[in-house]
Structure formats: structure tokens, C-alpha cells
Amino acid sequence: MRTLWDDFGDEESWGILLVDVHNAFNAINRKGMLWNIHHSWACGSCFAFNCYCHFKMLVLGSSGNDITVILSCKGVAQGDPLAMILYG
């Protein structure tokens, strides 16, 4: 990391994104989670479905026309107050 920063840190169009992809929140299967929530917490299942039925998009772009889209297809969002309920 230090070497990359030393090489590119002074450029304005450069950055680093650190992502923790190996944790329990990211490993959960959304379809299975929503199925279990539907049967164990019927009152909250509609809200959980609306929060997690679609893929979340992370859009990365630059000053040019190059745009990269990363889809979040698994897991729950860290920091979401509902995440601990859905994970448990």
C-alpha cells in the first residue's frame, strides 16, 4: 500500500478503495435470507424484501466516459440497522 501511495499519491485522479469482502455479512445468501425472514418474521418480511430484493450498485467513474459498475449480489449492508436482525 505504501509503495502504491508513494508512486501515485500526488496524482489528483488516483485513489484507493479498500473493501473487506471476507466476512459473515457478505457471505450470507440473500434469497435464503429473505425466505427464512418470510417464514420467521412475517411482519418484517415485506420491509426486508424491499431493502434487499435488488442488487446494490457501486458505480466507479473517471473524468472520461469509462464507467465501471460493481453489483452487490450477496450479503447484507454493514451499518444497516436491519442487518443484525436479518443475519441472526
Side-chain angles (χ1 to χ4, degrees), residues 2-85:
R2 171 63 82 182
T3 304
L4 288 172
W5 185 257
D6 290 340
D7 291 344
F8 298 104
D10 56 344
E11 295 183 23
E12 291 183 20
S13 63
W14 189 85
I16 296 174
L17 174 65
L18 295 175
V19 179
D20 178 15
V21 295
H22 296 292
N23 62 41
F25 287 99
N26 290 337
I28 194 168
N29 180 329
R30 280 191 190 167
K31 278 187 177 180
M33 175 195 68
L34 291 173
W35 179 260
N36 287 333
I37 293 295
H38 176 71
H39 291 287
S40 63
W41 187 38
C43 296
S45 66
C46 185
F47 181 69
F49 181 79
N50 288 334
C51 290
Y52 288 102
C53 68
H54 300 291
F55 298 147
K56 306 298 184 243
M57 294 190 315
L58 174 62
V59 180
L60 305 171
S62 63
S63 58
N65 293 332
D66 297 332
I67 294 176
T68 302
V69 177
I70 300 174
L71 294 177
S72 173
C73 304
K74 292 185 353 181
V76 294
Q78 290 182 358
D80 180 4
L82 190 60
M84 285 304 296
I85 296 168

